[in-house]
Amino acid sequence: MRKKQRGVYASKMKRATHMLFYRRHQKPGVKGWELHRALGADYPKVLDVLDDYLKSLDLQVKTVFEEEKTPSGKPSLEELNKARFYVTLRGELTPKEPKMMGWRIDDLAGLAVAISYIISKKGQAPRKDVKELLGEKLPGWKVGLNIDRYIRYGYLQQDDNEQLYLDWRTRAEVDEKALINLLLTAETQKSELAGVSEEESEVGELEDE
Amino acid sequence: MQSRKEQKKFGREKLQRIIEMCMAIENHTVDPFLLDVDDVIRVVKEYFPQWEETDELNLDSEAIHHLASVIKLQSEWVKHRSTSLYTDPFLLEEKITQATKEEMVSVFLGAWHPLVELEQLSLHSIAEAMRYWEALVPLKERWPELAVQEVGMGLTSRDELIRQRILGDKVFSEELECYWQELKEKVAAKGRDGKMFYWDFIGADTYEDTVQRAFLTSFLITYGYATLEIHPLEEEVYIKPFEKPNTKMHTQQSISIPIAVTYENWQKWKRGELD
């Protein structure tokens, strides 16, 4: 890459960083067309460079396509323009870290249950059923409050018929396929976890709060 | 041999039934695979040459339209089953119910990549805040001082407090002793085997007095002046006074017996339905 061209990309990368990290709208993330307008038609390339740079920080540029229509091959510019871009964590959090983000183990477990259950029901489940399921592990008074909280954060959405669906934040943050696979292989994990007693006790500490 | 008219009528009924079935499937009340698409197409084909009127042709096209929706639902079902996201909901539900909270979190952390975002003021939020501030009613108007009538300080008497039912007209222990005597007299007069029906003792002309008597009776029992005898099968409660207060009761493990002194029960007692 020539010196001048490198300078142009560096400046575009800075601009993309500002746009992606600082919230510009009510919801975080930037639409493809906004990046197109600000950075030019080669913005996918700029994002690739930025993504590569963020790798060392354990972050990534995440693309969420419109209406979950992830293209099978290379996405077209039109598809990218309609997509939404976010910066998310690339790797995984340790069991202790959600605490720093204000998540209690109960609430996070409830979120995991609600999301997995809705996925298993083809992306739609009655609130009553989710409530019943959560009620098996969480105190009754907390279940309704938690579901409302997941809705407020954008993980779930609810229609007038009290049906729950996955919302924009789940699509941006949760690898649904991985979640289901991990859940189905949880038996193996259980035995692996048994050896990591130290980590488990850390989770226990959170619960006690 | 059926006449042409009868055949047409029969065909219309068949199409109507097909439409109803398709609509039930569209409303997710029936499994889409319960409908034999080939069979439906055969029926539609069979009757199509007979349709002449507009409403008959409309019915035919409506049936085809609904059939197309059912085929779409069937294809969606197959598509979902063939994706890697499909898992037996029952199996997954079992996994979810069996997993502990810690296991659930551990699984979730493997698939969760939270967003990184910095919150700061945006033009939108500043405009929103300005609008809020402009519409905000001043504190003085929101919380006007309560217009409480000023009353001068004064003295009250014991009689006044008794009249307002803040104090009783007797010392509580005295009142309890009198009440105990009353119980003993009533049991002697109306009771049998040294006891009487609980409601006959506490029951009074007004509901308020009945509640007051039930309240005092509870102290008679707690302090060992009387005891309760309960016949669970007959749902009968009797009160039995002691000749002397039973002081041992305070040292024994006591139990609480809730008795509902509701307005309905009081009315039943008045009508003689509680005896």
Side-chain angles (χ1 to χ4, degrees):
Chain A
M1 208 182 270
R2 280 182 309 186
K3 215 173 182 180
K4 192 181 167 191
Q5 207 180 359
R6 214 182 297 158
V8 171
Y9 268 100
S11 129
K12 283 187 176 183
M13 213 168 85
K14 274 183 197 169
R15 179 98 182 94
T17 308
H18 296 172
M19 289 175 78
L20 286 166
F21 276 87
Y22 287 98
R23 193 192 268 204
R24 298 153 61 83
H25 309 288
Q26 210 165 1
K27 286 180 194 169
V30 188
K31 276 271 190 183
W33 62 264
E34 289 179 275
L35 289 162
H36 193 156
R37 204 168 56 184
L39 308 171
D42 60 346
Y43 77 92
K45 207 172 170 187
V46 178
L47 294 182
D48 282 343
V49 179
L50 178 62
D51 185 57
D52 200 45
Y53 183 81
L54 290 175
K55 211 179 264 179
S56 54
L57 303 173
D58 200 24
L59 298 174
Q60 65 180 345
V61 176
K62 167 99 187 200
T63 315
V64 179
F65 290 95
E66 200 187 32
E67 292 168 6
E68 295 178 84
K69 285 177 196 159
T70 310
S72 44
K74 198 182 171 203
S76 66
L77 191 61
E78 198 189 339
E79 283 167 329
L80 286 169
N81 284 346
K82 286 180 184 168
R84 210 176 177 89
F85 295 85
Y86 306 90
V87 175
T88 70
L89 190 77
R90 187 182 290 265
E92 294 167 19
L93 291 171
T94 63
K96 210 174 182 177
E97 282 171 317
K99 186 186 172 187
M100 300 184 303
M101 297 156 59
W103 280 97
R104 292 187 78 252
I105 186 171
D106 282 25
D107 305 335
L108 202 57
L111 178 65
V113 167
I115 291 175
S116 343
Y117 185 71
I118 294 171
I119 293 173
S120 80
K121 298 280 179 188
K122 292 200 281 179
Q124 173 187 351
R127 181 183 170 115
K128 184 174 67 73
D129 292 357
V130 177
K131 229 174 149 178
E132 234 167 69
L133 192 62
L134 292 181
E136 287 178 24
K137 300 273 168 72
L138 300 178
W141 62 269
K142 219 176 163 196
V143 173
L145 289 176
N146 269 22
I147 294 178
D148 290 339
R149 187 177 169 205
Y150 306 148
I151 293 171
R152 215 169 46 245
Y153 285 3
Y155 285 104
L156 306 180
Q157 59 174 311
Q158 184 177 301
D159 68 8
D160 296 339
N161 301 320
E162 298 234 311
Q163 295 285 321
L164 292 176
Y165 306 84
L166 301 180
D167 205 3
W168 66 270
R169 196 180 279 273
T170 303
R171 286 196 289 275
E173 295 186 352
V174 183
D175 184 342
E176 295 173 28
K177 209 167 132 186
L179 176 65
I180 297 302
N181 286 340
L182 284 168
L183 195 59
L184 292 174
T185 52
E187 279 292 308
T188 346
Q189 281 201 342
K190 207 192 277 183
S191 54
E192 281 168 10
L193 268 173
V196 199
S197 55
E198 199 180 324
E199 284 289 272
E200 261 192 329
S201 65
E202 283 172 353
V203 176
E205 280 170 29
L206 297 185
E207 196 181 13
D208 293 336
E209 281 209 343
Chain B
M1 189 84 178
Q2 275 182 318
S3 72
R4 192 177 151 77
K5 207 177 163 187
E6 277 176 339
Q7 259 194 335
K8 278 179 97 173
K9 191 186 165 199
F10 191 59
R12 268 200 302 268
E13 280 171 7
K14 272 195 170 179
L15 285 190
Q16 202 65 54
R17 277 203 296 276
I18 289 170
I19 292 169
E20 280 166 16
M21 175 75 168
C22 290
M23 281 170 80
I25 293 169
E26 284 168 43
N27 294 333
H28 300 278
T29 50
V30 181
D31 179 358
F33 287 94
L34 276 181
L35 190 80
D36 186 343
V37 176
D38 287 342
D39 196 40
V40 171
I41 290 174
R42 193 185 49 74
V43 171
V44 173
K45 261 186 180 172
E46 187 189 331
Y47 288 98
F48 182 68
Q50 295 180 26
W51 306 137
E52 291 157 340
E53 306 292 328
T54 324
D55 58 336
E56 291 168 344
L57 289 165
N58 267 345
L59 198 67
D60 181 82
S61 56
E62 205 183 325
I64 295 290
H65 172 75
H66 285 291
L67 185 64
S69 305
V70 172
I71 294 171
K72 193 181 166 210
L73 283 174
Q74 288 184 345
S75 103
E76 276 172 9
W77 188 90
V78 172
K79 224 185 272 177
H80 179 72
R81 284 244 159 179
S82 61
T83 59
S84 50
L85 269 182
Y86 176 75
T87 38
D88 183 357
F90 179 73
L91 176 72
L92 207 56
E93 216 179 305
E94 274 297 297
K95 287 274 182 184
I96 294 169
T97 3
Q98 278 171 19
T100 62
K101 280 185 278 189
E102 289 81 4
E103 282 162 3
M104 234 21 240
V105 167
S106 164
V107 162
F108 191 60
L109 290 181
W112 187 39
H113 309 282
L115 287 179
V116 178
E117 51 179 308
L118 294 172
E119 287 189 9
Q120 81 293 327
L121 278 177
S122 64
L123 273 177
H124 172 77
S125 56
I126 293 174
E128 189 81 354
M130 289 291 285
R131 273 197 296 276
Y132 171 77
W133 186 253
E134 275 165 21
L136 194 64
V137 182
L139 214 56
K140 267 187 186 173
E141 288 173 39
R142 273 187 287 157
W143 294 341
E145 280 181 20
L146 287 174
V148 183
Q149 203 187 341
E150 210 169 301
V151 182
M153 276 172 57
L155 292 171
T156 185
S157 63
R158 185 181 154 78
D159 291 343
E160 176 63 19
L161 291 176
I162 289 168
R163 201 175 55 75
Q164 290 185 7
R165 289 194 156 201
I166 295 170
L167 287 181
D169 51 356
K170 290 176 190 164
V171 176
F172 189 69
S173 57
E174 271 175 38
E175 199 170 355
L176 218 52
E177 289 275 343
C178 293
Y179 202 54
W180 180 41
Q181 289 307 325
E182 185 191 327
L183 174 65
K184 284 200 280 192
E185 282 161 21
K186 275 197 172 172
V187 167
K190 295 182 190 169
R192 218 171 42 186
D193 303 328
K195 64 187 179 194
M196 73 183 291
F197 190 52
Y198 173 79
W199 264 94
D200 283 344
F201 178 62
I202 65 151
D205 288 340
T206 63
Y207 177 62
E208 287 75 15
D209 286 345
T210 307
V211 173
Q212 168 80 6
R213 288 176 67 82
F215 172 72
L216 283 172
T217 307
S218 71
F219 282 97
L220 279 188
I221 295 158
T222 308
Y223 292 157
Y225 291 97
T227 187
L228 286 180
E229 200 176 291
I230 297 166
H231 298 180
L233 289 178
E234 293 85 7
E235 290 186 348
E236 288 171 349
V237 183
Y238 292 91
I239 184 160
K240 198 175 182 179
F242 292 126
E243 277 309 312
K244 283 180 186 169
N246 186 355
T247 45
K248 277 184 191 167
M249 294 209 33
H250 298 294
T251 55
Q252 288 166 353
Q253 177 111 30
S254 56
I255 52 162
S256 297
I257 300 162
I259 301 173
V261 184
T262 61
Y263 188 73
E264 288 74 31
N265 281 350
W266 173 71
Q267 280 181 320
K268 275 187 190 173
W269 172 77
K270 286 274 276 182
R271 291 194 298 265
E273 290 170 16
L274 267 186
D275 293 326

